[in-house]
Amino acid sequence: MAWIETVLKTYPPIAVFIALAFGYWFGKFNYRGLGLGAVTSTLIAAVAIGQFNIPISPMVGSFFFLLFLFAVGYGVGPQFVRGLAKDGLKQALFAVVVCLLCLGSVWLAARLAGYNAGTAAGLFAGSQTLSASMGLATDSINQLAITVEEKRHLLNEMPVAYAVTYLFGTVGSAIILALLGPKLLRVDLAKECADYEASMGGMDHNASGDLAWHPYELRAFQVGESTKVSGQTVSEIEHLFPHGGVFIERVRRGSQVMAAKGDMVVQTGDVLAITGSRHILIDIIGTHAKEVDDRELLSVPMEGIDIFITSRAISGKTIAEIAKMPEAHGVFLCRIARGLTGEEIPLLPKTVVQRGDVLSVSGRTADTSIAAKAWGRVDRPGSVTDVMTLALAITIGCLVGAVTIRIGSIPLTLSTAGGALIAGLITGWLRSIHPTFGYIPTSTVWFMNSVGLNVFIAGVGIASGPTFVAGLENLGAGIFLWGMFATTLPLVLSIFIGKYLFRFHPAILLGACAGARTTTAALGMINEIARSQVPTLGYTVTYAVGNTLLTIWGMVIILLMT
């Protein structure tokens, strides 16, 4: 044991890697999406290692924390700016209200319990499950006009309060929103989601007339004498299906194979290569036309691609409106991913597509290429990060954040951490408009997001390890109860505010609450109970705003408490 202690004290980075290894290993265990997670597990492992009194340079944690904050802003930038601008203004305002409730509940709990600023910051981070707020709180504490020993005391109490309150912050949020929420609203969530889908143009998937986003096939059918489509144009035949999703790709006439054009008149004996959902091709077309095996006709290049949406031509339009555009011909929409977390958005006719969304489409290579050119660009996985833009943006953000304005004895500053967050927001938004610069691969964003935060947390845990047990004894069980209060109060109030003041549909209200509180675990439970992805429609904009404001509140809670 003495040898291990000597090695760790001599080579402190080893302690960080051990904390990360155990943190990620323990963090992967969960039940129905609920668990400690990598952050809390890393903190616990770091505190245990910190009992050896290992010296850790704060510079390591600061560097990775700036990368983390930039990645957060980079990921939510498009939704954050759009939400504040127009598209999601109502949801953005709701998120602001929820974030103020979260801040107010923690401030009230800390005042009533007599906690200091460090404990209040940990209480906020744990009860609201936003570990990133501790970074801005740390910066703010370091700028206070107090002694070094007083600063160290505040910083050591912060992770104690965080660790004790985080578990209920995660589990309690999911229970309150997913299980208690529908009862408070007095609704059947599954039924409300089904009704919402119907109002958005959804339908029973087993009904006649499938939708364009169903899995498709390419088959060949011969036009017989009894077939009513003989003498009609290709466009007229495609419009026979009211819900779309049927496209004539090629036509064989005798020995000649031709590309199908909208004004081409179909004749008896022609063989048509048709793409569409299997239900339509087999149950509808197959009952009126003879299917043939024509390998030459069916030899059509097909592909599935992801399109990163940047064009104003389709931003703000519904799926149904986009389906009628010329460039949508022959293109099948399979999935829409939105936001930093890549949440899957329900594919309903009235679902609105936004800039920054990633549309997974499939179809003929020629058709998907036309769609990609008109709507944005093909989002092909890359491996090279635009490090120049990343580093320059963080530098500028930190320089702006380093500016301090004093009002009396109170220093007001964004801090370098807040500057990095805002730099990420601006860079992410600009990239959604001009995707020619600032590319960061998804895997790199994940690394900056996850590992960046956890390296910072590991440093905090190791540094506070020697005083953690004493701090826990000093705070007692009361900190857990105050954490329950600070978690529960804003969520319950937000449910009623969303229902009566903002008048959100029950199907998206709980998703909006989960987004504003940035609790992904709760969203998973809500969707499971709803048996639908509809609650996600309320999650993305509120998540972007909530993630930003709750992080900044780590600095604000210190100002309020001092």
Side-chain angles (χ1 to χ4, degrees):
M1 187 66 70
W3 176 80
I4 295 177
E5 181 177 353
T6 301
V7 170
L8 293 180
K9 286 185 175 181
T10 306
Y11 306 103
I14 296 178
V16 175
F17 284 112
I18 293 175
L20 291 175
F22 278 94
Y24 277 94
W25 184 70
F26 282 113
K28 69 181 181 180
F29 296 108
N30 63 77
Y31 175 71
R32 300 180 70 176
L34 298 177
L36 288 178
V39 177
T40 306
S41 299
T42 297
L43 176 62
I44 294 173
V47 167
I49 298 170
Q51 302 306 310
F52 290 115
N53 199 16
I54 302 167
I56 290 290
S57 171
M59 290 298 297
V60 176
S62 297
F63 174 80
F64 279 94
F65 189 67
L66 291 177
L67 287 178
F68 159 74
L69 286 175
F70 180 84
V72 170
Y74 182 87
V76 304
Q79 284 72 41
F80 181 84
V81 174
R82 184 178 301 106
L84 295 182
K86 58 174 183 177
D87 293 341
L89 182 58
K90 186 177 179 181
Q91 291 186 10
L93 289 175
F94 175 72
V96 172
V97 171
V98 174
C99 289
L100 289 173
L101 290 174
C102 293
L103 177 65
S105 65
V106 173
W107 176 84
L108 178 62
R111 286 296 187 188
L112 292 176
Y115 293 142
N116 59 37
T119 303
L123 173 62
F124 178 84
S127 64
Q128 311 308 317
T129 62
L130 204 77
S131 316
S133 64
M134 289 198 294
L136 272 76
T138 299
D139 282 356
S140 297
I141 289 174
N142 285 326
Q143 294 186 39
L144 294 178
I146 56 178
T147 66
V148 174
E149 186 59 34
E150 289 174 323
K151 291 179 182 179
R152 184 181 299 112
H153 176 67
L154 294 179
L155 293 175
N156 286 340
E157 289 205 351
M158 191 192 313
V160 179
Y162 167 81
V164 174
T165 57
Y166 181 86
L167 182 59
F168 184 82
T170 301
V171 178
S173 298
I175 292 174
I176 293 168
L177 291 178
L179 301 180
L180 182 61
K183 292 182 173 59
L184 293 176
L185 294 173
R186 297 181 180 180
V187 298
D188 181 337
L189 189 57
K191 182 179 182 299
E192 292 293 340
C193 287
D195 292 344
Y196 189 87
E197 287 189 26
S199 70
M200 293 283 285
M203 61 177 59
D204 184 354
H205 291 180
N206 295 319
S208 60
D210 271 356
L211 304 179
W213 46 80
H214 285 192
Y216 75 96
E217 295 181 4
L218 175 64
R219 297 189 177 224
F221 296 91
Q222 187 171 38
V223 179
E225 294 182 359
S226 59
T227 306
K228 297 180 180 180
V229 299
S230 181
Q232 297 189 44
T233 65
V234 168
S235 294
E236 290 172 339
I237 296 173
E238 290 176 344
H239 284 91
L240 290 176
F241 302 89
H243 300 291
V246 174
F247 304 103
I248 300 175
E249 306 289 359
R250 304 173 85 189
V251 177
R252 174 185 288 281
R253 185 165 294 165
S255 60
Q256 186 179 8
V257 175
M258 302 170 288
K261 297 182 179 180
D263 58 355
M264 179 185 291
V265 178
V266 173
Q267 301 175 5
T268 301
D270 287 350
V271 180
L272 311 180
I274 305 176
T275 54
S277 69
R278 188 175 189 278
H279 166 68
I280 293 179
L281 297 182
I282 301 300
D283 297 345
I284 300 179
I285 298 178
T287 59
H288 298 90
K290 177 184 177 183
E291 184 174 5
V292 298
D293 183 14
D294 192 327
R295 295 188 180 184
E296 181 185 3
L297 182 66
L298 296 176
S299 296
V300 180
M302 296 283 184
E303 70 172 350
I305 61 173
D306 293 335
I307 302 177
F308 185 84
I309 301 301
T310 61
S311 173
R312 292 184 178 180
I314 70 168
S315 181
K317 294 187 180 297
T318 65
I319 292 177
E321 291 172 333
I322 295 171
K324 296 177 182 178
M325 294 181 172
E327 56 267 24
H329 184 275
V331 176
F332 293 82
L333 178 58
C334 306
R335 181 177 182 268
I336 300 178
R338 179 173 296 167
L340 173 65
T341 54
E343 296 295 336
E344 188 170 342
I345 304 301
L347 296 175
L348 301 169
K350 293 184 181 180
T351 296
V352 176
V353 173
Q354 301 174 351
R355 273 187 185 179
D357 286 350
V358 176
L359 272 58
S360 297
V361 302
S362 56
R364 287 197 315 157
T365 302
D367 293 330
T368 56
S369 297
I370 292 173
K373 184 177 180 180
W375 299 341
R377 65 172 183 83
V378 178
D379 190 32
R380 300 191 187 280
S383 59
V384 179
T385 298
D386 185 351
V387 178
M388 184 198 73
T389 299
L390 184 153
L392 185 61
I394 293 179
T395 300
I396 295 173
C398 289
L399 289 175
V400 173
V403 177
T404 301
I405 301 175
R406 289 190 173 273
I407 299 180
S409 61
I410 301 176
L412 295 180
T413 175
L414 284 174
S415 77
T416 55
L421 175 64
I422 293 175
L425 286 169
I426 296 174
T427 304
W429 173 67
L430 288 175
R431 175 165 170 75
S432 71
I433 301 174
H434 304 288
T436 56
F437 80 106
Y439 176 71
I440 304 178
T442 303
S443 57
T444 304
V445 173
W446 176 89
F447 180 87
M448 294 166 61
N449 222 311
S450 181
V451 180
L453 175 60
N454 280 300
V455 169
F456 168 76
I457 291 296
V460 171
I462 293 172
S464 64
T467 60
F468 189 89
V469 176
L472 186 59
E473 292 176 349
N474 180 51
L475 292 175
I479 187 67
F480 179 80
L481 297 178
W482 283 115
M484 293 180 62
F485 169 83
T487 296
T488 304
L489 181 62
L491 288 179
V492 172
L493 290 178
S494 66
I495 290 174
F496 290 115
I497 290 173
K499 178 180 179 179
Y500 294 108
L501 182 60
F502 286 85
R503 298 187 180 279
F504 288 129
H505 192 286
I508 66 170
L509 170 56
L510 297 178
C513 292
R517 254 294 315 280
T518 67
T519 170
T520 306
L523 178 66
M525 283 190 66
I526 293 169
N527 286 343
E528 183 177 341
I529 291 174
R531 298 193 294 275
S532 170
Q533 292 291 323
V534 165
T536 309
L537 292 173
Y539 182 83
T540 54
V541 170
T542 54
Y543 176 87
V545 176
N547 204 7
T548 304
L549 291 183
L550 291 178
T551 299
I552 295 173
W553 282 181
M555 172 182 62
V556 175
I557 192 67
I558 299 298
L559 295 176
L560 291 176
M561 294 300 296
T562 55

